[in-house]
């Protein structure tokens, strides 16, 4: 298959400016996907740096490396960045790159809208970080928002949050959210209307199914946040009273509106982890995914249930026991479809010939840690237990097991798995395994002890603590863990750069996989497929490689 | 993965026998799936409307939440007038809802290839939408200047201007798009084969009208 080449300069290289122009003006889903993920990883480094600074401050009692005001800004920016500028762009980036290849089409339904969505996201991210320079207004020192990533009212009102830092928080997320909603619509249309011949809904790769549910959640859950943020913006700049408790407004309303978005958002972030694992685990176990229809049903169930559990973030607010009980029940219910998924992944591995390559290792890390995070989630869904540890480090430990141990581990799995397709080069297995084990140790060393310090009563978001509380050892362990994580992420960066410069050539299908993206070249040509493929089963490449025993006979 | 056993072999044999000597390595199974009949644009507009409903749903829920919770006047019943007099809210609403009928007629005219009829009905839609916007402007002028109610007056003011304002903003956006199409049509750039795009714009317009029925009910009837 020939690749359409750019016109070359006499030296044989495309001039740097043309290459830059090509990326900036692109509407190609693969280039946009790469830009999304790269931007997401850069924000990941920034958010990691912010977290490291906080752990440095908390390593020992009574330190004053970081002052309370700065500490508040750090945890606000860390949370906001990880959710909106790491999780979301990596979701949209991987979906952008993979979905058209997996469903056998040449681009998204609306390529220019796709590019617009990306640039809106990037503008939002830059606007958020611009607050560090202009948050207090343009005269004098600026600074970042310090209201926490869920920005509880009335602390976000003019009275308590002077300057413009909170406005930057609102506008940055609002812009990103509009971009996300548009891209989600774009991707749903692509999945529903542009699949290659033969690919019925029940023949789509599971990744596509899970992300389809994910994007529908984005379409439904992001507009309420936008509406709530508009109200907050009107409070701050037009003198409205939505969340102004002194003039009849309600702080509780903000909590309801924010978490009505916020909880589906948690599932929006974790569903990609399910999606990646559902592709990688079968390939490295050399078996088809166990219970495909049930996986689809469980995904849809998670999507629906996730819209009705938001009050579990508000158990300590003092709502009526009946409301608490209802939402406790609905929260526990999420455990059922999630449990189905866990068992299906386990059942896929049972009896398989497991290949312990780096992508599979990260998937196994995801499974173990997500399971632990899920179990502490069941604890927290229980109202009396939640009351005891609400807003403590136990909660911090819980959601990092889900989002870091779950999502970030599976993102690394996905990068190790699909990087050869994206770049045409393999990542180093040795460096990858070092990274995995360092991250595994560092992660558990950092976030495991948080459960203990939380049980011992350490509240989240405090900038220091006294020595007699009994929290010293656990905090020190947490901070030591960060060093391992920094080492692991550095190895990852080295691995990427090294592989781009002199990595082994990947070939079209380095993992002997089964979905359509592996049938084209690595990296794929701008048009993806010379001929639009025709599929007859969920594993079209298996059919191609085993014409004597194709899958479609059994599905 | 190995899959042996009499049942699968039986299936294989029967499937093989239905093939008439195909030499391709990929033996086509009985039938390819049917693709969704809807076009990209239709699905996108339906999803756009879904996200708009989620947006307005949040504003409307907030409005309902605050009904009767004001701690200082003026209350809705002091300033909201539900009367059919020209440029008052019921009058305006009739214009907005009627415009939904004209746009249907316009789309039908375009489908039938009647350019003049299309321009007439489409133009009438714009005029009726414009009347609604002007009426809203007069209503706001009366409330702001004569009654002295603005966003900061009380919670009712905050909710009213936010909800009705976002609706008016959507009407404005719709009018801009409608006018663009009308100008393009005058220039002869909207041939009947573009019917789907024109139809989709009318879907958005129907949404703007439909959501007004809900907003009207909540603001002027339940909240009054």
């Amino acid at each position: 298959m020939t690749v359409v080449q750019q016109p070359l300069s006499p030296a044989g290289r495309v001039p740097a400016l043309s290459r830059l122009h090509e990326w900036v003006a692109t509407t190609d889903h693969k280039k946009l996907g790469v830009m999304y993920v790269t931007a997401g990883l850069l924000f990941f480094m920034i958010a990691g740096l912010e977290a490291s600074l906080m752990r440095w401050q908390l390593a020992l009692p009574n330190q004053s490396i970081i002052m309370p005001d700065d500490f508040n800004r750090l945890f606000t920016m860390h949370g906001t960045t990880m959710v909106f500028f790491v999780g979301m762009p990596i979701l949209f980036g991987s979906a952008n790159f993979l979905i058209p290849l997996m469903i056998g089409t040449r681009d998204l339904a609306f390529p220019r809208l796709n590019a617009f969505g990306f640039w809106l996201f990037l503008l939002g991210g830059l606007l958020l970080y611009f607050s560090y320079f202009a948050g207090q207004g343009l005269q004098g020192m600026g600074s970042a928002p310090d209201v926490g990533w869920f920005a509880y009212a009335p602390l976000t009102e003019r009275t308590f949050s002077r300057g413009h830092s909170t406005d930057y928080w609102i506008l940055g997320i609002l812009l990103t959210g509009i971009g996300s909603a548009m891209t989600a619509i774009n991707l749903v249309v692509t999945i529903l209307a542009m699949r290659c011949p033969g690919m019925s809904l029940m023949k789509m790769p599971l990744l596509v199914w899970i992300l389809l549910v994910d994007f529908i959640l984005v379409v439904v859950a992001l507009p309420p946040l936008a509406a709530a943020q508009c109200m907050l913006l009107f409070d701050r700049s037009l003198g409205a009273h939505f969340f102004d408790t002194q003039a009849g407004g309600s702080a509780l309303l903000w909590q309801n509106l924010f978490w009505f978005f916020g909880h589906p958002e948690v599932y929006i972030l974790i569903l990609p982890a399910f999606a990646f694992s559902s592709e990688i685990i079968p390939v490295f176990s050399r078996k088809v995914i166990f219970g495909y229809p049930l996986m689809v049903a469980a995904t849809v169930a998670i999507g629906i249930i996730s819209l009705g559990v938001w009050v579990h973030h508000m158990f300590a607010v003092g709502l009526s026991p009946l409301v608490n009980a209802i939402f406790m029940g609905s929260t526990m219910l999420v455990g059922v479809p999630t449990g189905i998924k866990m068992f299906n992944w386990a059942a896929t591995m049972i009896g398989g010939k497991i290949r312990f390559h780096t992508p599979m290792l990260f998937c196994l890390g995801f499974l173990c840690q997500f399971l632990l995070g899920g179990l502490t989630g069941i604890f927290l869904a229980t109202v009396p237990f939640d009351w005891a540890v609400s807003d403590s480090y136990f909660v911090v430990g819980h959601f990092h097991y889900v989002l870091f141990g779950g999502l970030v581990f599976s993102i690394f799995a996905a990068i190790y798995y699909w990087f050869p397709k994206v770049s045409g080069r393999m990542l180093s297995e040795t460096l990858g395994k070092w990274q995995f084990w360092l991250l595994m140790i560092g992660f558990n060393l950092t976030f495991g002890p948080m459960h203990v310090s939380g049980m011992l009563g350490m509240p989240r978001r405090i900038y220091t603590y006294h020595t007699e509380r009994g929290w010293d050892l656990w905090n020190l362990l947490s901070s030591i863990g960060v060093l391992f994580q920094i080492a692991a992420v550095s190895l990852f960066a080295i691995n990427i750069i090294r592989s781009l410069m002199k990595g082994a050539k990947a070939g079209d299908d380095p993992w002997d996989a089964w979905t359509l993206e592996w049938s084209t070249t690595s990296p794929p040509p701008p048009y993806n497929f010379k001929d639009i493929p025709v599929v007859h089963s969920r594993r079209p490449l298996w059919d191609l490689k085993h014409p004597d025993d194709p899958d479609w006979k059994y599905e | 993965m190995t899959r042996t056993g009499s049942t699968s072999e039986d299936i294989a044999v029967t499937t093989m026998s239905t093939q008439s000597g195909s030499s391709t390595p990929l033996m086509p199974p009985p039938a390819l799936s049917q693709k969704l009949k809807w076009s990209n644009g239709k699905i996108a507009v339906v999803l756009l409307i879904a996200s708009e409903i989620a947006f307005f749903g949040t504003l409307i829920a907030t409005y309902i939440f605050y009904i009767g919770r004001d701690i200082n006047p003026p209350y809705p019943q002091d300033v909201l007038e539900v009367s059919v007099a020209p440029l008052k809210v019921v009058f305006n609403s009739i214009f907005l809802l009627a415009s939904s009928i004209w746009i249907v007629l316009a789309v039908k005219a375009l489908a039938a290839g009647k350019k003049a009829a299309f321009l007439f009905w489409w133009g009438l839609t714009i005029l009726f939408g414009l009347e609604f916007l002007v009426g809203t402007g007069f209503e706001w002028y009366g409330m702001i200047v004569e009654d002295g109610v603005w966003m900061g007056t009380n919670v009712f003011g905050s909710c009213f201007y936010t909800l009705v304002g976002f609706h008016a903003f959507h009407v404005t956006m719709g009018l801009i798009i409608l006018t663009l199409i009308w100008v393009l049509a005058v220039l002869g750039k909207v041939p009947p084969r573009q019917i789907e795009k024109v139809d989709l714009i009318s879907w958005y317009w129907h949404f703007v009208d439909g959501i007004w029925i809900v907003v009207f009910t909540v603001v002027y009837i339940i909240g009054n």
Side-chain angles (χ1 to χ4, degrees):
Chain A
M1 194 179 293
T2 53
V3 179
V4 179
Q5 290 289 334
Q6 284 289 313
L8 300 177
S9 68
R13 287 178 62 85
V14 185
L17 203 63
S18 317
R19 264 186 297 170
L20 182 69
H21 180 264
E22 188 190 324
W23 282 88
V24 170
T26 188
T27 57
D28 179 67
H29 72 98
K30 296 178 290 296
K31 284 201 166 71
L32 286 165
V34 171
M35 290 201 285
Y36 261 121
V37 174
T38 311
L41 289 175
L42 290 177
F43 278 118
F44 175 69
M45 304 278 177
I46 296 172
L49 187 72
E50 287 158 352
S52 310
L53 287 173
M54 286 190 281
R55 282 318 319 168
W56 189 19
Q57 161 68 15
L58 289 172
L60 299 169
N62 294 319
Q63 291 202 104
S64 51
I65 299 160
I66 289 161
M67 289 291 103
D69 288 355
D70 292 320
F71 195 88
N72 291 350
R73 288 173 190 130
L74 283 177
F75 69 64
T76 304
M77 292 299 268
H78 170 77
T80 308
T81 309
M82 284 303 294
V83 171
F84 294 100
F85 301 104
V86 179
M88 298 294 273
I90 291 179
L91 155 68
F92 284 115
S94 43
N96 241 302
F97 192 94
L98 292 174
I99 284 179
L101 287 169
M102 278 189 157
I103 63 173
T105 184
R106 289 189 168 133
D107 208 324
L108 296 197
F110 308 104
R112 277 182 291 184
L113 184 69
N114 191 20
F116 186 53
F118 168 77
W119 292 106
L120 267 188
F121 142 74
L122 196 64
L123 177 65
L126 295 179
L127 206 55
L128 180 71
Y129 272 87
F130 186 63
S131 65
Y132 263 114
F133 306 101
Q136 301 293 349
L138 283 170
Q139 63 280 71
M141 300 279 283
S143 219
D146 56 358
V147 289
W149 89 273
F150 39 81
Y152 267 7
L155 290 180
T156 45
E157 293 290 308
R158 253 292 176 253
T159 326
F160 304 104
S161 175
R162 299 265 160 191
H164 296 303
S165 58
T166 304
D167 301 313
Y168 279 103
W169 180 86
I170 296 170
L171 291 173
I173 294 174
L174 199 59
L175 281 178
T176 306
I178 294 169
S180 301
M182 289 192 308
T183 310
I185 290 176
N186 203 343
L187 284 157
V188 173
V189 176
T190 309
I191 295 172
L192 289 183
M194 296 178 72
R195 298 188 308 278
C196 66
M199 189 176 281
S200 61
L201 282 175
M202 289 311 276
K203 285 193 169 57
M204 295 196 300
L206 258 184
L207 177 138
V208 181
W209 247 116
I210 296 175
L211 292 186
L212 174 66
V213 173
D214 203 3
F215 299 136
I216 292 173
L217 274 182
V218 172
V219 172
V220 179
L222 276 172
L225 176 71
Q229 287 189 311
C230 287
M231 293 180 214
L232 183 57
L233 200 62
F234 292 165
D235 269 16
R236 291 178 55 80
S237 35
L238 296 175
H241 300 297
F242 286 109
F243 311 117
D244 175 8
T245 44
Q246 287 174 319
S250 164
L252 185 61
L253 180 69
W254 171 265
Q255 296 194 14
N256 271 305
L257 294 183
F258 186 87
W259 289 119
F260 182 75
F261 146 79
H263 203 81
E265 172 68 17
V266 174
Y267 289 88
I268 290 168
L269 291 176
I270 199 65
L271 281 174
F274 297 173
F276 299 148
S277 305
S278 301
E279 291 303 321
I280 296 171
I281 290 175
V283 167
F284 287 91
S285 305
R286 311 311 301 155
K287 276 178 67 187
V288 287
I289 187 88
F290 183 89
Y292 175 99
L294 214 55
M295 289 293 264
V296 171
T299 309
V300 176
I302 287 176
I304 294 168
I305 298 171
S306 76
L307 291 167
V309 297
W310 77 93
V311 172
H312 70 217
H313 295 271
M314 298 157 60
F315 282 158
V317 165
L319 300 165
S320 76
L322 179 66
V323 172
N324 283 353
I326 290 170
F327 280 88
M328 177 172 132
S330 65
T331 305
M332 298 246 176
L333 211 57
V334 189
V336 177
T338 315
I340 290 174
K341 280 177 179 286
M342 295 297 289
F343 283 118
N344 279 3
W345 289 319
T348 304
M349 286 186 282
I350 290 173
K353 287 183 190 150
I354 299 182
R355 300 183 301 184
F356 288 99
H357 290 290
T358 314
M360 187 61 176
L361 286 180
F362 274 106
C363 273
L364 294 173
F366 154 74
L367 284 185
C368 299
Q369 285 154 181
F370 181 74
L371 178 64
L372 289 175
L375 289 177
T376 51
I378 300 279
F379 293 6
L380 286 169
T382 319
V383 179
F385 186 87
D386 181 82
W387 282 350
V389 296
S390 187
D391 263 341
S392 77
Y393 260 86
F394 189 88
V395 177
V396 179
H398 156 70
F399 69 70
H400 279 93
Y401 263 81
V402 177
L403 287 179
F404 195 131
L407 176 63
V408 176
F409 269 66
S410 73
I411 285 174
F412 282 125
I415 291 176
Y416 276 91
Y417 182 63
W418 279 293
F419 186 85
K421 180 50 63 184
V422 175
S423 70
R425 290 173 187 277
M426 304 297 289
L427 286 166
S428 155
E429 276 290 309
T430 319
L431 283 175
K433 281 178 178 153
W434 272 98
Q435 184 207 343
F436 169 73
W437 286 109
L438 281 172
L439 198 62
M440 190 81 180
I441 294 166
F443 168 80
N444 285 293
L445 198 55
T446 300
F447 297 104
M450 285 185 185
H451 294 99
V452 184
S453 53
M455 296 277 240
L456 293 175
M458 182 169 168
R460 65 195 284 199
R461 297 180 166 178
I462 53 169
Y463 89 105
T464 191
Y465 51 93
H466 288 300
T467 186
E468 68 268 22
R469 299 285 189 148
W471 304 337
D472 301 16
L473 172 67
W474 309 109
N475 277 286
L476 185 62
L477 286 176
S478 286
S479 294
I480 292 172
V482 172
L483 298 176
F484 286 87
Q485 296 189 53
I486 292 174
V489 175
S490 309
L491 279 186
F492 172 71
I494 293 169
N495 200 353
I496 294 271
I497 294 165
R498 191 189 147 282
S499 160
L500 285 176
M501 287 164 67
K502 53 172 186 176
K505 288 263 186 284
D508 294 356
D509 184 14
W511 308 115
D512 190 12
W514 305 311
T515 37
L516 283 177
E517 77 270 29
W518 304 104
S519 69
T520 184
T521 55
S522 310
Y527 44 84
N528 293 350
F529 303 99
K530 187 161 143 281
D531 303 306
I532 291 298
V534 178
V535 301
H536 304 293
S537 77
R538 288 167 200 150
R539 300 194 302 167
L541 262 65
W542 170 277
D543 297 351
L544 213 60
K545 291 167 191 169
H546 305 270
D548 50 316
D549 187 28
D551 258 14
W552 51 258
K553 284 187 200 161
Y554 312 96
E555 278 173 7
Chain B
M1 190 184 164
T2 55
R3 285 172 305 208
T4 49
S6 60
T7 48
S8 62
E9 273 168 13
D10 290 347
I11 294 167
V13 168
T14 46
T15 325
M16 290 289 281
S17 61
T18 58
Q19 304 298 321
S20 51
S22 159
S23 60
T24 51
L26 264 182
M27 291 172 291
L32 292 181
S33 74
Q34 285 285 307
K35 267 201 172 180
L36 202 72
K37 291 287 190 327
W38 279 31
S39 69
N40 294 359
K42 272 188 185 168
I43 306 174
V45 168
V46 167
L47 288 166
L48 174 75
I49 290 174
S51 73
E52 292 277 16
I53 288 173
F55 183 86
F56 274 100
T58 310
L59 295 179
I60 291 167
T62 305
Y63 197 98
I64 293 173
F65 175 81
Y66 280 125
I67 288 176
R69 290 196 180 212
D70 263 306
I71 51 177
N72 47 332
Y75 303 107
Q77 56 269 31
D78 305 334
V79 287
L80 292 185
E81 275 184 72
V82 184
S83 82
V84 207
L87 290 174
K88 297 289 182 190
V89 66
V90 178
F91 186 77
N92 296 335
S93 306
I94 293 169
F95 268 76
L96 187 66
L97 298 183
S99 73
S100 255
I101 304 172
W102 312 144
I103 206 168
V104 170
L105 296 176
V107 172
K108 276 193 175 160
L110 185 67
K114 296 174 192 157
K115 186 182 165 185
F118 169 72
L119 284 175
F120 174 75
W121 292 120
W122 197 263
L124 203 62
T125 310
I126 298 173
L127 288 180
F128 271 52
L130 212 55
E131 193 285 337
F132 175 81
L133 214 53
V134 171
T136 307
F138 274 101
E139 190 193 21
W140 281 35
Y141 179 82
M143 286 175 69
I144 295 169
V145 176
E146 287 158 29
D147 303 324
V149 188
W150 178 233
M151 282 260 188
T153 311
N154 56 9
V155 178
F156 159 66
S158 310
C159 292
F160 177 84
Y161 288 105
T162 304
L163 179 55
V164 176
F166 265 114
H167 181 263
F169 173 69
H170 278 74
V171 173
T172 313
M173 287 293 118
L175 284 176
I176 292 172
I177 301 167
L178 292 180
T179 311
L180 227 99
I181 296 295
W182 195 80
V183 171
L184 285 175
V186 168
L187 297 175
K189 299 269 173 65
V190 186
R193 68 183 159 79
Q194 297 286 15
I195 184 74
E196 188 184 284
K197 287 168 189 166
V198 173
D199 194 26
L200 290 178
I201 293 168
S202 82
W203 286 19
Y204 171 82
W205 191 251
H206 291 316
F207 157 75
V208 171
D209 292 358
I211 204 82
W212 177 250
I213 298 176
V214 182
V215 172
F216 180 87
T217 311
V218 168
V219 174
Y220 294 91
I221 298 174
I222 300 174
N224 204 338

